[in-house]
Amino acid sequence: MTLVSEDVSRSDIAEDAERAAYLEGLSEGRWDLRWLHDDRPAWGAKAALRPGVGLTLKATNQVEPYGRIEARAPGGSMAPRGCVTEEGLPAMGYTYNSKYQVWAENVESLYDEAVSRQWDATRDIPWHDLEPLPPDMERAMCQVSTMLTEVEFIAADFPAMWSWQMNQHFHEVKLFLATQAMDEARHLEVFRKRALANGGGLGIAARTTERALASIRAADSYIKGSYMMHVLGEGIVLDIFRAGEFLSPTDVEKKIFRMCMQDEARHVSYGTMHLKYFLEHHPDPVEAKEELHAFADAAEPIIFRVFTAPSVIEPFAVLAGEGVDGIESGFEAIRILWVKIVEEYLRRCERAGFDRRGRCKVGTAAPF
Ligand SMILES: [Fe+2]
Ligand SMILES: [Fe+2]
């Protein structure tokens, strides 16, 4: 019985007969040994160690022909790129078989960085330094933590829902997305822990936030989802993490934001460079760009609207104002943050060759 019937060129009968003959021959010392004598072009070539670093993914790609990445994946199986393939390997049904659909020029080094900078939300945060906060500050921190836990759910689901559709020929992208899923799991873990660690508990999940997350999930292609997730959504979250330094009531939260920030910067960097690669290598770049612009016209208001919900902006203002009595001055800081968030987003788009300045309907001035 076979569980895979498609694309198997050799019949089960021929396969079974060959297997039986092989197994019978084994008892008489007739080995196959084709694997021992195959034609392996890179025999003798070694991946170079980086002193003080180790063996990086990038270094293994410098061994020819293993680092040769075709614009179109030559097969659809799980055969590792560059290996010797038998005939009749089943196709896995990947939908992303072209390099431009998934690639970013920095993806190998981002993966190398990601694995070397993993951290532990149980041990690496100085939880024992948490101190009782005034109730308004604790509630504000817990509300921010609730919202961040919530958005990290989509960030963890996102790489998982697209990675399996990508051809193994581009394994670097799949490896990187696996690190992103782990990073995001740790982020939602650390923010949930923060909400529960100091007696505050979880706050409100806002409709506008949930609608934005649902829209990211609903994107009907990887490039649209990646633009909305990595460039737009996570870009904004990265600016929030950066602002965490002045928003944090204690060193515990400062450390949380710092640790999350280094992870988040990788996700945004991949997304920006992927967008660039996509637009530069698409077979019909003019039409592709226009389609993406039309998508961005709709996506930007959905994502930026998250930062108009009271349960999202007010706790930030309370943290920045160091209490509900300082909410007005806190709002001033949040207005400045808004300007920075929009400006950074427009710059990221520019870096990717996707100029949104003339089209983005989200104002650079805060709407509050
Ligand atoms: Fe995250
Ligand atoms: Fe992220």
Side-chain angles (χ1 to χ4, degrees):
M1 189 187 106
T2 178
L3 295 174
V4 178
S5 54
E6 273 181 276
D7 298 319
V8 177
S9 61
R10 316 189 63 206
S11 75
D12 287 351
I13 297 167
E15 192 95 21
D16 287 349
E18 190 179 300
R19 187 177 301 110
Y22 170 64
L23 294 175
E24 205 181 301
L26 283 183
S27 58
E28 295 155 19
R30 274 188 275 126
W31 313 104
D32 178 85
L33 296 183
R34 272 176 292 185
W35 61 269
L36 191 63
H37 303 296
D38 63 38
D39 185 18
R40 211 167 295 184
W43 183 253
K46 292 181 185 174
L49 285 173
R50 248 180 84 192
V53 176
L55 188 57
T56 63
L57 187 66
K58 212 172 165 63
T60 57
N61 274 352
Q62 270 139 24
V63 180
E64 282 292 338
Y66 301 108
R68 201 176 299 152
I69 304 165
E70 308 292 344
R72 180 92 189 155
S77 73
M78 285 185 180
R81 190 177 66 224
C83 78
V84 180
T85 52
E86 289 189 344
E87 281 179 19
L89 301 186
M92 300 294 168
Y94 299 124
T95 41
Y96 292 99
N97 296 299
S98 290
K99 191 177 178 186
Y100 78 90
Q101 295 173 313
V102 298
W103 194 254
E105 289 291 14
N106 57 352
V107 72
E108 301 149 293
S109 41
L110 286 174
Y111 174 76
D112 284 330
E113 184 192 311
V115 288
S116 73
R117 299 190 84 180
Q118 293 295 301
W119 51 279
D120 179 342
T122 302
R123 287 192 315 247
D124 295 338
I125 303 299
W127 295 111
H128 48 272
D129 291 345
L130 268 179
E131 288 169 11
L133 294 174
D136 52 349
M137 289 294 280
E138 182 60 31
R139 276 185 177 263
M141 193 59 230
C142 286
Q143 183 54 45
V144 166
S145 298
T146 304
M147 189 273 285
L148 290 174
T149 304
E150 193 179 8
V151 304
E152 299 294 353
F153 278 125
I154 182 63
D157 277 4
F158 180 85
M161 69 182 275
W162 292 103
S163 174
W164 67 272
Q165 301 183 49
M166 297 176 184
N167 195 296
Q168 302 288 349
H169 190 69
F170 314 111
H171 63 253
E172 291 84 350
V173 178
K174 295 164 80 99
L175 296 183
F176 174 73
L177 290 176
T179 67
Q180 186 189 351
M182 185 59 226
D183 291 347
E184 311 296 13
R186 192 172 47 244
H187 296 177
L188 73 88
E189 174 197 357
V190 81
F191 286 113
R192 186 176 177 86
K193 281 181 170 173
R194 173 57 192 87
L196 303 183
N198 211 24
L202 290 160
I204 296 169
R207 258 191 316 278
T208 44
T209 309
E210 290 288 323
R211 283 180 183 158
L213 305 187
S215 302
I216 295 172
R217 261 185 76 101
D220 63 4
S221 67
Y222 181 63
I223 187 61
K224 288 179 187 163
S226 171
Y227 151 76
M228 202 173 181
M229 178 79 235
H230 296 125
V231 181
L232 184 52
E234 292 184 285
I236 295 170
V237 168
L238 176 60
D239 286 325
I240 290 173
F241 288 168
R242 282 196 181 122
E245 203 69 32
F246 77 84
L247 293 173
S248 293
T250 75
D251 287 346
V252 177
E253 292 85 12
K254 282 188 207 301
K255 178 93 189 265
I256 292 174
F257 282 123
R258 269 202 306 275
M259 299 304 276
C260 289
M261 192 175 71
Q262 68 181 29
D263 297 339
E264 215 55 47
R266 288 192 298 273
H267 312 155
V268 176
S269 179
Y270 162 75
T272 307
M273 294 300 279
H274 170 50
L275 179 56
K276 184 173 173 14
Y277 196 91
F278 179 91
L279 293 173
E280 285 176 356
H281 295 84
H282 195 283
D284 188 351
V286 177
E287 201 185 311
K289 194 179 272 191
E290 186 43 47
E291 191 185 338
L292 210 51
H293 270 305
F295 181 76
D297 291 343
E300 285 163 349
I302 293 170
I303 298 293
F304 277 98
R305 208 172 290 141
V306 170
F307 299 93
T308 58
S311 64
V312 174
I313 48 174
E314 289 180 2
F316 281 125
V318 168
L319 290 176
E322 294 182 9
V324 77
D325 291 341
I327 194 167
E328 235 166 276
S329 67
F331 255 110
E332 268 316 303
I334 302 309
R335 285 185 193 103
I336 294 167
L337 178 61
W338 172 284
V339 173
K340 190 176 155 46
I341 284 174
V342 177
E343 181 56 31
E344 287 287 321
Y345 163 67
L346 294 172
R347 277 194 206 154
R348 266 193 306 283
C349 289
E350 260 164 23
R351 274 200 299 280
F354 186 57
D355 186 4
R356 291 293 300 160
R357 274 189 201 278
R359 277 184 81 146
C360 181
K361 292 185 188 74
V362 176
T364 47
F368 43 78

